[in-house]
Amino acid sequence: MDIETRAAQPYAAVRATVTTETFAKVADRLPEVMQWLADRELPVLGAPFLRYLRVTGEEFEVEAGIPTIAEVPADGDVFTATLPAGQYAVALHEGSPDGLAAVTDRMLAGTARFDRDGDRWGARLETYFTDPAVQPDPSKWTTEVAIRLADS
C-alpha cells in the first residue's frame, strides 16, 4: 500500500443503492455516463471508477463515475461532483474483481485512519484500468483501490 497526495478531481456519475447481487445495476451504466460526457463535449480525464459512499453488511451506495474537466449542471440521472483532494492510501490489484474485497480488507486492517463516519466514506474508490471489451480475461485486469485518509 502506498500513500499518494491527490488534487480534487471533477467527475460525472450515476448513483444507486445495490447489493452484491445487483451491483451491475450501477456498474453497467458507465457507458451512459461516457455518452453523457461525449454529448456535452466534456473530455474524459481518466479511467472509470466506482465510488463507495456508504457500505453496510448487505448494501452499498455507489457512484459509477468518470473523471472529467469540471462540474456542470446535472441532466437526468447523470450528475457531476468532485472527489476531494487529500492523502489517499492506494493499492493495485492484478486479477479478477473477485479479489478486490480482500485488497480492501487488508488496507482497512492497517493502522491508517480513513476519511469515514460510521458506514459513510469520504472517498473510497475502485478504478478500473482494463477495458473488458479489449481484454476479456479477468485474470489480466488491473484495478486500483484508493481510500482517502482522514485529515490530521
Side-chain angles (χ1 to χ4, degrees):
M1 178 173 74
D2 295 321
I3 304 297
E4 295 180 2
T5 300
R6 295 186 174 186
Q9 175 60 63
Y11 65 97
V14 292
R15 180 182 299 143
T17 299
V18 296
T19 65
T20 52
E21 293 79 26
T22 63
F23 220 88
K25 174 177 152 183
V26 68
D28 289 350
R29 294 185 68 194
L30 281 166
E32 175 185 342
V33 178
M34 187 74 76
Q35 185 61 54
W36 188 90
L37 288 168
D39 290 348
R40 284 149 189 81
E41 298 181 355
L42 292 169
V44 171
L45 296 182
F49 62 86
L50 296 178
R51 179 181 185 184
Y52 294 80
L53 301 171
R54 186 179 55 83
V55 178
T56 66
E58 305 82 37
E59 261 185 2
F60 308 90
E61 184 179 349
V62 180
E63 294 174 349
I66 299 173
T68 191
I69 195 163
E71 287 192 37
V72 297
D75 186 8
D77 289 346
V78 180
F79 63 91
T80 57
T82 298
L83 294 171
Q87 297 280 307
Y88 283 76
V90 178
L92 207 56
H93 171 68
E94 301 282 340
S96 168
D98 295 341
L100 290 170
V103 172
T104 302
D105 288 345
R106 282 193 300 277
M107 292 173 74
L108 297 178
T111 59
R113 274 195 34 232
F114 294 102
D115 177 11
R116 70 186 287 189
D117 183 9
D119 61 0
R120 296 212 159 269
W121 293 85
R124 178 176 160 182
L125 310 167
E126 291 174 359
T127 302
Y128 301 92
F129 294 120
T130 308
D131 182 346
V134 174
Q135 175 51 262
D137 182 355
S139 71
K140 297 180 179 177
W141 293 356
T142 302
T143 308
E144 176 191 82
V145 176
I147 306 173
R148 187 173 185 273
L149 299 176
D151 292 328
S152 303

